[in-house]
Amino acid sequence: MKEIESLLARIKSGETTIEEGMEELKFLPIKSLHHTLIDTHRELRNGFTEVIYGEGKSIDHMVEIIEAQKGKCNILVTRISQEVFDKLNERIDGLEYNQLAKTVTHISQEINYKDSTIGIITAGTSDIPVAEEAKVTCEIFGNKTEMIYDVGVAGLHRLISRLEAIKKAKVLIVVAGMEGALVSVLGGLVNQPVIAVPTSVGYGASFEGVSALLGMLNSCASGVTVVNIDNGFGAAIAAHRINQV
Amino acid sequence: MKEIESLLARIKSGETTIEEGMEELKFLPIKSLHHTLIDTHRELRNGFTEVIYGEGKSIDHMVEIIEAQKGKCNILVTRISQEVFDKLNERIDGLEYNQLAKTVTHISQEINYKDSTIGIITAGTSDIPVAEEAKVTCEIFGNKTEMIYDVGVAGLHRLISRLEAIKKAKVLIVVAGMEGALVSVLGGLVNQPVIAVPTSVGYGASFEGVSALLGMLNSCASGVTVVNIDNGFGAAIAAHRINQV
Amino acid sequence: MKEIESLLARIKSGETTIEEGMEELKFLPIKSLHHTLIDTHRELRNGFTEVIYGEGKSIDHMVEIIEAQKGKCNILVTRISQEVFDKLNERIDGLEYNQLAKTVTHISQEINYKDSTIGIITAGTSDIPVAEEAKVTCEIFGNKTEMIYDVGVAGLHRLISRLEAIKKAKVLIVVAGMEGALVSVLGGLVNQPVIAVPTSVGYGASFEGVSALLGMLNSCASGVTVVNIDNGFGAAIAAHRINQV
Amino acid sequence: MKEIESLLARIKSGETTIEEGMEELKFLPIKSLHHTLIDTHRELRNGFTEVIYGEGKSIDHMVEIIEAQKGKCNILVTRISQEVFDKLNERIDGLEYNQLAKTVTHISQEINYKDSTIGIITAGTSDIPVAEEAKVTCEIFGNKTEMIYDVGVAGLHRLISRLEAIKKAKVLIVVAGMEGALVSVLGGLVNQPVIAVPTSVGYGASFEGVSALLGMLNSCASGVTVVNIDNGFGAAIAAHRINQV
Amino acid sequence: MKEIESLLARIKSGETTIEEGMEELKFLPIKSLHHTLIDTHRELRNGFTEVIYGEGKSIDHMVEIIEAQKGKCNILVTRISQEVFDKLNERIDGLEYNQLAKTVTHISQEINYKDSTIGIITAGTSDIPVAEEAKVTCEIFGNKTEMIYDVGVAGLHRLISRLEAIKKAKVLIVVAGMEGALVSVLGGLVNQPVIAVPTSVGYGASFEGVSALLGMLNSCASGVTVVNIDNGFGAAIAAHRINQV
Amino acid sequence: MKEIESLLARIKSGETTIEEGMEELKFLPIKSLHHTLIDTHRELRNGFTEVIYGEGKSIDHMVEIIEAQKGKCNILVTRISQEVFDKLNERIDGLEYNQLAKTVTHISQEINYKDSTIGIITAGTSDIPVAEEAKVTCEIFGNKTEMIYDVGVAGLHRLISRLEAIKKAKVLIVVAGMEGALVSVLGGLVNQPVIAVPTSVGYGASFEGVSALLGMLNSCASGVTVVNIDNGFGAAIAAHRINQV
Amino acid sequence: MKEIESLLARIKSGETTIEEGMEELKFLPIKSLHHTLIDTHRELRNGFTEVIYGEGKSIDHMVEIIEAQKGKCNILVTRISQEVFDKLNERIDGLEYNQLAKTVTHISQEINYKDSTIGIITAGTSDIPVAEEAKVTCEIFGNKTEMIYDVGVAGLHRLISRLEAIKKAKVLIVVAGMEGALVSVLGGLVNQPVIAVPTSVGYGASFEGVSALLGMLNSCASGVTVVNIDNGFGAAIAAHRINQV
Amino acid sequence: MKEIESLLARIKSGETTIEEGMEELKFLPIKSLHHTLIDTHRELRNGFTEVIYGEGKSIDHMVEIIEAQKGKCNILVTRISQEVFDKLNERIDGLEYNQLAKTVTHISQEINYKDSTIGIITAGTSDIPVAEEAKVTCEIFGNKTEMIYDVGVAGLHRLISRLEAIKKAKVLIVVAGMEGALVSVLGGLVNQPVIAVPTSVGYGASFEGVSALLGMLNSCASGVTVVNIDNGFGAAIAAHRINQV
C-alpha cells in the first residue's frame, strides 16, 4: 500500500494534480485485487512451498519453474515417473525422489511442524502410492503424519488393533479402492474429520475408482468428505487446511 | 414315456406301420424336451409353489392365474400394493397380505421346513421391505428364516453384538442400500455363503441403488455374490437353491 | 468397567471360580467393544442430540423414536414435508418446523455454542433449502453459523463484496448446483477448510446434481472436499467434526 | 448455368427436341443441388483452405490429398504427431509443423486478415495444445488471434489482470479442463460471444473431459456455447463463423 | 468515481489526513470491482431487461422481484406453468403469458430491434416449446426472429424448401430432439453461426435429450456449438451475444 | 415433370425467352428435389397410411391432422392413452382403439395384405403392449402377423414347443425386457431376419430397458438387429421394409 | 432319422425288445434336438462357410480350426492384424488377407451369388475398415455388394449425387461414426431395409461409438435397425438374412 | 484364552492386584476380537491356503510373502503374467504356473477333496481364462471341478448335449461375456446354485463386460447370483462357501 500512501502525499503536496491522481487510481482496483489474491494464494500455500503438477509438463518447463524458485521456497513436484526424475536430476542439484509417491521435492527452507498429527490410513497395500503422495504433501506443508496401512474391513481385526493409534490424530485421510467400505466403518468409530480418497485400485466393475467414489459419497457414516479419485495431494491440502485452523 | 412304450408295442404288433411310427416320432424330440423342461421347472419351484410377479399385471389376469392354481399348490404374488390387494381380496378367499413385503400368499399345502436356517440381515430400517420380500419367499419354499435388522457398519457394535446369531444360519442374505459396506464387513467375518441385495435406499449419488450394487460387486471380502437392486425375491430363491443342496 | 472390577473381586475372594470367571469373560470382548462403540457414537453425536432421517419412515415409527428421546436429549428430524410435520405436530408437543430446511427439531437441552463460526454460502437462491438443512444441523450441534446467500460466480461482484465476511468463519460449507463453479473460485480465495455440497438444482444435462458433483470433485482449487448431492446434513456434520478439533 | 442456357437455345432452335431436353434435364435437380452445395461448402471453407483431419489417415493418403491441393489453396492438417510429420516432410516441400497444436500447414495463398480479433483463453498450461489448434485454425481462415494463457479461477487475480485485453476481442474461445469453471466466471464478466472448449485435462473423476463438458453445459453464465472435448478446431470454425458475420 | 475525486480533494485541502485517506481507500479495490462488474452485468442484460428463472421460485418471491422492477425495465420470467401464471396474474397488472414458451413478460420500455434476424429452426413439432422460449428471449432483448418449424431430416425436402429463408438470418438456433441430425445437415449447408439446442423429445434410449446432446457435440459439420438440453433461453442469449457484435 | 415439358414448349415456341426460362429454372433443383422426396416419402409410407406420433400432441392438433386425412388414407395414431382416446372419440367418428397397443386407427381404404407373415414374439406377458403396437403397425401397412407370446428362455420348453410356428414367418420381431436373452437363443435357432425390441420391463439394474438393449446389441447370435427401447412401431416399419423386398 | 427307422424295424422283427427300445430312445430327444440345431446352424451359415472370430484366439488354435475345415467349406476369419496374418500365412497355404477389413479368407468352394445387391455406404473415409469387413462377409456368403464411400451429411451433395445407385440395392448397410446422422437422412430417402452400423470413429464425447449408436437408435427415420459398434460382420449377416428371404 | 486364565489365577493368588488386573484387561476386548477375527479368517481360507492378489505387487514383495508362507500352507497367487512368473521362478523353487489362468501355485500340504463337484461352464472359448482361474482356486481349496466349455446359447445344441453332466455338479459357475444369455438359459434348466461371472469378452457396446454384468443381474431365471467382471477367483470362493455347507 506504500504506492497509495505516496500518491496521497503527492496529491497533498500538489506535486500531482487531482486529475492525474484519478488516472493513477483508475487501474487500482484490479491491481489491488491482484495483489490481495496473490497474497491469499501465497498464504494458503504457506509462504514456503511451490507446488508443480508434473503430469504432462515438459522437462524443460519443469526445470525452468524449479530453477526460478530454488532456494526461495521449498518445492514439491507431483506425478513424476522414475524416467522423468532421472532427467530432472541430471540438470538440477538437490532433488529428492519418492518412488512410491512419485514426488520430487527440493527442501531449502526449514519446515516448522505443527504439534498435531494427520493420520493416513489405507485399506490395502495397493493404495499405498496414493497415501504416500498425501504424506509427502502433508509434511512439506508442516504437518506431521502417522501412516497406518492395510487395515481394510475384510479383516476387521487389523483395523480394530490400530484404533488407539488412529484416535490420536487430529485429522484422518482414509485411502481405499474397490468398494471403499473402510471409510464407513472408520467414520462410525471416530469423531475426527475424515477425508476419504477413493483409489483406482480394483478391476471389472470398479470402473477405475468410480465404485469407491460412489461408496464414499454414500457412506452411512455421517460427516465424511471425499476428494477426487487417486487425489492424495488434494486430500493432504484439505487436511492441512483443517490442521491449521 | 408311456406314450412311447405304447407306440413301440403298436409297431411290434403291426397295428402301426413303421412309416406311421416315424411320423408320430417326428415331433417327439421337441415334445419330450418340453416335458423334461416342465419337470425341471416344477422341481425347481418345489412342486408346491406358484410365483406370480404382480407388477404391471391386471387384476383380472392375476385373479385368473390364482384361481387356476388355488388349492393345487401354494401361491406367492410379489410387488402388490395395498390398493391392488384390496381388489384381489374382494374376489378371492383366503389371501394373506404382508404390508412390508408387499406380497400376497395363499397357503393350501403344508410347508415342510428344512432344518437349516437362512439369515436375513439389513443395514438399516429402510431396507426392511426388501428383506421381508426375501423372508416371505424363503418361507413359502420351506426355508426357516432368522431376521437381523439395522446392523449397518456406521454403528459397528450393533453388528458385533449379533454375530453369534448370524453365524448359526446356513446361508446369509445381506440387504443394504447407500454404500452397501455391511456386505464387506460381514463377508470377512463369516464363512457361510453370502448373497448381497443392494437396495435403492439412499439419495443423491446413490443413483437408485447403483452405488450399493457397485460396492457389493467390488467387495473386498472374497466370495460374496450379488443379485439385482431391491430383488429380495431373487436373493431368496438363490438362498433356497443353496439350502437344498 | 465396574462389572469387570466386581468379577475380579469375586475371583479373588473365591466366590467365583476361575472356570466360572473364564465363562463370564467369554463374551466380554464383544460386549466391551459394543459399549466402547456406543460411547464413541454418542460422543460424536455430542451426547445431546438424536438425529432421525425422516424420509421413508412411517409417522408411527417417528413418533415412537421421538417420544423415547424427548426431554433426554435434543432431537433433529430431517427430510420432513409440511404434511408429515402436521401429523407429527398433532401427536407431539414442542416440535418446531423449518419450512425451508424441511427439518423438525425438539430442543430440551441448552445448546452450548462454540466461539467459532461455520460459514454457509450458496451460489443461488434455489440452493437455500440445502443450506438451511446444514444450518439447522450445525446449530443443534452447538455451532454458530453465518449465512451468505446467492453469490454465484456469474455475478462475481456479489461474491467479492462478501469476501470479508466469508474470511471470518472457521469452516466453510459451499452449496451450489448447476456447474458448481463457486467452489473453485472460493477455494482459491480462502485458506479455511471448504466443504462443497452439490445440489440437484439445474436442468437438462445437470443430471440431478451429477454435473455439480463432478465439477466439485475436479475443482482446480486444491484441498476442497465434497459430500453427496443435496446432503446439507452431512456437510454440517463434517463441519462440526472440524469445528470441534 | 451455361449448360442450361445452351440447352434452352438448342430447344429454341430445334436442334434438340423437347423429349431430348426432358431427358437432359432429368438429372438436373440433383446435379444443380450438387453444385450449389459444393459452392456453399467452398464458401464456408473460405475458398482458400483445405482441411484434413489427420488422425487415422495413412501417410500415403495424406500425401495424395496434400499434393492434389498444393498451390491451389492453403492446407491445414490437424492431429499430426511429430513422427507422422517427419514422414510427410520427407515427401512434400514447404510444410510447417506446430508442435503444440500438432498441426501441419502449407501456405501458398496470402491470407487476408479481418480487423477484428478472436481471443483464445486457457485455464491452465495443460490446455495450451488445444488452444494452439484453435489458434492455427483461426489464423489460416483469416482471423487474428490474441492468446491469454493460464488464467484459471483458482488464482482469480490472474484472470482479473487480463480482463482489459480479453474485452477487446470480438469473440472468445475459452479452453479449460478439470471442472471448467473459467467459462462461468468469464461468461459473467463479458458480453461477447463465448465458445467453451472442454479439455481432457484432469484425472480420476474428470473422465477424460466429461466433467468439464458438463460444467460448461450447465454454466450459470447465460449464453455460453460448447463444442466437443479437446475440439480446438471446431471452436475455431465456430468463432470464424461469428467473426465473418 | 466522484467519491474518489472528492477524497483526493479533501486530501489536498488537508480536510482529510493521509492516514484517514488510506483507511478510506482500503476497501476501494473490492468496491470498485463491485461496481465495474455490476455495470458489465447490466450491459450484458441490455440495460433494459430483468430475467427471472421461474422454476422452483415461490409466487411471493416472484411477485416481489417483478414489482421491484416493474416500469423500470422490461421483465422476462421463464419456466412458468399456466397455474403459476394465473396466480401471478391475479396480483400483478400487465403481464403477458406465452403458453408454448411458458414465459411471462412485462413490457414497459420500447424495444429497439436490430436490423438483422435470428433464425430459429425446429426438427419436429414437439421441439416448438423450446423454440418459443428462445423466440421470446431473443425478442425482449431486441432481436428480430424468423421461425422455421418441422424441417427434420427424415423428410429432407421440407428442409431444402426452406433453405432460402434460413440463409437470410444472421445467426441460427437449431432445436432438435431424438438424434439431432438436423444440426449436422444444416451445419453443412450454411456458413452462419449455428447454435444447437438438444431437446428431451424422444423415448427409450434418447435418455431425456442425452442422445441429441451427444449427436450435436459430435456433429460432422464443423463449427457448430451446443447449449444445455431444452435450454431455449441460453441459446437465445448466445445468439443475442453474436447478433450485437 | 409436366411443368418442365410446358416450359420447354414455351421456349421452343418463343412464348418464353431464354432469359425468362433461365429464371424459371433457377429454383427448379430445390423444387424438384422437394417433389422427389415427397414421393419417396409417400411410397415408403405405402401411399395409404398416415402415421401420427401421439405423445405430447394436443387433442386439437391431433383432431386437425386426422380430419385433414380422414377418408383419403388410413390413419394410425400411436401412444394414445384411454383418456386421450375418449376425447378424440367424442369429436371424430369411426376411430378404433387398441387398449394394449395404445393405438388409434381409422380405416377407410381396403388393406391389401401380402402373402408372407411377420412373426411377433415376446419373452413375457409384460412385453405384450410393445408387441401389440408392432402388430397394429404391421397390419395397417398390409402385413399379416403371427403372435407368439410368453416364450422367454427361463422356461425353454415354451420356446421349443412354438419353434415350428416361428420358422414359418418371413421376418421375426422379438420383444423382450430384463436381459433380453430370448433374442440370442432365437437368433441361433432360425435363419430369418430378426429384429429385436428391448422393452423397459424389469426393475433395479434393468435401467428402463438399457440392460435389454445392451444384451441385444451384444447378442452372440450373428445378424440380429436392434431398434430403440419399447419401439414396437419402429420394429414394425423395419419388418415392413423387409417384407416388401 | 435312419437310426430311428432301423430301431422301429428291429422292434417290429423282435430283434430288439420294447424295453431295449425304450432305453435307446431315452436320449433321443436331446440327440435329435442336437442334430436339428446343428442343421439349422449350418443352413444359416449357408452350408459352405466357416466363420472364426480371430480376436483373442492363439495362432495354434486358429491353424487347427482352419486346417480342419480347409477344402470342405470356405473359411472367413475376422479381426486379424497383419502380424497375425503373417504367422498364419507361414503355416497354411492359400489364405488371402484384406488389409482394410482385417479379414483372412480361404476359398475352396465356388460362391453362387444371388442376383440382388447389398449396398454398403459410409459417412467418412475412416469408416471404411468396418465397411470392408461387411463387404468381405457379404460376399463369402454369396451376396453381391455395391460400395458407396464418404457420403456423410456435412456435404449433402455427395450423398444426393449417389442416390440413384443407392436405390438399386436390395438392402443397405450404413456405416457411420461421430453422430451417425447419415442414417437418419438416408432412412428418410429410401424405402429399403436399412441396417445401421455405428463406428468408434470420433473423439472426445463420441465415447468410442456410443454417440453414433444412440443417434442411430433414436433416428427420426422410421424402421432403421442397428447393430453393435464397429460390427461390420454382424451387419453383413443381418443383410444376408434379408437378402435370402 | 490361556493368558486370561493365568491372569485370573494371579488375581486369585494375590500375585496381581485388582487394579493391575483391570489395567491388563483394558485392551482385552480389542485383542480378543483381534484373535477371533484372525481365526475366522483362517477358517474361511481353509486353514491351509494363502491367497495373494498378484496384480500391481512388486516381485520383491511377492517373493517375501511367498517365502514367509512356503511349506506352512499351500499358496495361490492370481493375475500373474508369464514375465512375472519367470522372475518369481528364478528366485523360488517349486512354483507351478497355469498359463491360461495366470495363476502361480505352491503346494506343500495334501489337499483333501470333498466328494461333491463344482461345475464350471463357459459360453465361448474366450471365456476360458476366467474359468481356469476359478478352477485353480476351487481345487486348491479342496473342491473337485468339472469343466464344460463353449456351450453358448447361439448354438443351443451344444448346451443341451452337456446337460446331463451339468446336472451332476453341486454348484455351478457360469462364465460368459457378450450378453451373458447362457446364465438365463441354464438358470432355467437346473435347480442347483448358479454363480454367474460376466467376462470382458466382446467389443463395442459390451463396454468391457458391463453388458454381460447387466444381463446377468437382470436374468429372467430366478435365483441366479453374480460376481464382478472377470472375477473367476471370487466365483470360486463363493462356490467353495456353498460346497462346504
Side-chain angles (χ1 to χ4, degrees), chain G residues 107-155:
Chain G
I107 308 296
S108 58
Q109 317 295 318
E110 195 187 358
I111 299 173
N112 297 312
Y113 287 99
K114 294 171 204 82
D115 288 338
S116 53
T117 297
I118 294 172
I120 303 177
I121 303 161
T122 76
T125 53
S126 313
D127 303 314
I128 292 177
V130 174
E132 287 286 318
E133 188 188 79
K135 175 189 162 76
V136 171
T137 305
C138 283
E139 292 182 352
I140 204 165
F141 281 96
N143 305 282
K144 286 186 290 193
T145 58
E146 172 77 19
M147 311 307 284
I148 295 154
Y149 286 166
D150 203 16
V151 294
V153 300

Side-chain angles (χ1 to χ4, degrees), chain D residues 155-197:
Chain D
L156 201 56
H157 58 284
R158 296 176 304 190
L159 175 62
I160 299 294
S161 71
R162 302 298 303 275
L163 209 50
E164 293 298 309
I166 289 169
K167 294 210 166 190
K168 283 177 190 148
K170 185 171 167 191
V171 192
L172 298 174
I173 293 173
V174 182
V175 184
M178 302 177 85
E179 89 288 48
L182 176 58
V183 167
S184 296
V185 171
L186 200 56
L189 290 174
V190 305
N191 52 17
Q192 298 119 291
V194 173
I195 298 160
V197 191

Side-chain angles (χ1 to χ4, degrees), chain B residues 59 62 80-92 94-99 103-105:
Chain B
I59 302 289
M62 281 189 285
I80 294 294
S81 67
Q82 179 74 54
E83 291 69 25
V84 171
F85 171 68
D86 290 345
K87 288 181 191 157
L88 290 175
N89 205 27
E90 279 174 22
R91 294 169 58 180
I92 307 176
L95 299 180
E96 271 182 82
Y97 186 57
N98 180 321
Q99 268 194 322
T103 53
V104 174
T105 47

Side-chain angles (χ1 to χ4, degrees), chain A residues 76-82 96-105 127-137 147 149 230 232-233:
Chain A
L76 167 64
V77 198
T78 61
R79 311 269 162 144
I80 294 293
S81 66
Q82 178 75 54
E96 272 181 81
Y97 186 57
N98 180 321
Q99 267 193 321
L100 277 170
K102 302 209 171 303
T103 53
V104 174
T105 46
D127 303 314
I128 291 177
V130 175
E132 288 287 317
E133 188 187 82
K135 175 190 161 78
V136 171
T137 306
M147 312 306 284
Y149 285 166
D230 290 337
F233 169 74

Side-chain angles (χ1 to χ4, degrees), chain A residues 191-228:
Chain A
N191 52 18
Q192 297 118 293
V194 173
I195 299 160
V197 191
T199 68
S200 53
V201 169
Y203 54 93
S206 75
F207 300 129
E208 301 291 308
V210 171
S211 293
L213 171 62
L214 291 178
M216 289 166 174
L217 285 168
N218 286 285
S219 176
C220 56
S222 305
V224 162
T225 61
V226 186
V227 298
N228 203 349

Side-chain angles (χ1 to χ4, degrees), chain A residues 43-171:
Chain A
E43 183 184 350
L44 176 63
R45 293 304 198 199
N46 215 18
F48 302 113
T49 306
E50 171 79 17
V51 181
I52 303 157
Y53 182 67
E55 203 158 282
K57 288 212 175 59
S58 68
I59 303 289
D60 285 353
H61 193 181
M62 281 188 285
V63 168
E64 186 188 333
I65 304 175
I66 294 169
E67 289 292 4
Q69 302 296 331
K70 219 177 93 176
K72 295 184 199 141
C73 63
N74 293 331
I75 297 168
L76 167 64
V77 198
T78 61
R79 311 269 162 144
I80 294 293
S81 66
Q82 178 75 54
E83 291 69 25
V84 171
F85 171 68
D86 291 344
K87 289 181 190 156
L88 290 174
N89 205 28
E90 281 173 22
R91 295 169 58 179
I92 306 176
D93 287 341
L95 300 180
E96 272 181 81
Y97 186 57
N98 180 321
Q99 267 193 321
L100 277 170
K102 302 209 171 303
T103 53
V104 174
T105 46
H106 185 281
I107 306 297
S108 58
Q109 317 294 318
E110 194 187 1
I111 299 173
N112 296 314
Y113 287 99
K114 293 171 204 82
D115 289 338
S116 52
T117 298
I118 294 173
I120 303 178
I121 303 162
T122 75
T125 53
S126 312
D127 303 314
I128 291 177
V130 175
E132 288 287 317
E133 188 187 82
K135 175 190 161 78
V136 171
T137 306
C138 282
E139 291 182 352
I140 205 166
F141 281 96
N143 305 283
K144 286 185 291 191
T145 58
E146 171 78 18
M147 312 306 284
I148 295 155
Y149 285 166
D150 203 18
V151 294
V153 300
L156 201 57
H157 59 286
R158 295 177 304 191
L159 175 61
I160 299 294
S161 70
R162 303 299 302 276
L163 209 50
E164 293 298 309
I166 289 169
K167 293 209 167 190
K168 284 179 190 147
K170 184 170 168 192
V171 193

Side-chain angles (χ1 to χ4, degrees), chain F residues 90-127:
Chain F
E90 281 174 21
R91 294 169 56 180
I92 307 176
D93 286 342
L95 299 180
E96 270 181 81
Y97 186 56
N98 180 321
Q99 267 193 322
L100 277 171
K102 302 210 170 303
T103 53
V104 174
T105 47
H106 185 281
I107 307 296
S108 59
Q109 318 295 317
E110 193 187 0
I111 299 172
N112 296 314
Y113 287 99
K114 293 171 206 80
D115 290 337
S116 52
T117 298
I118 294 172
I120 303 178
I121 303 161
T122 75
T125 53
S126 313
D127 302 314

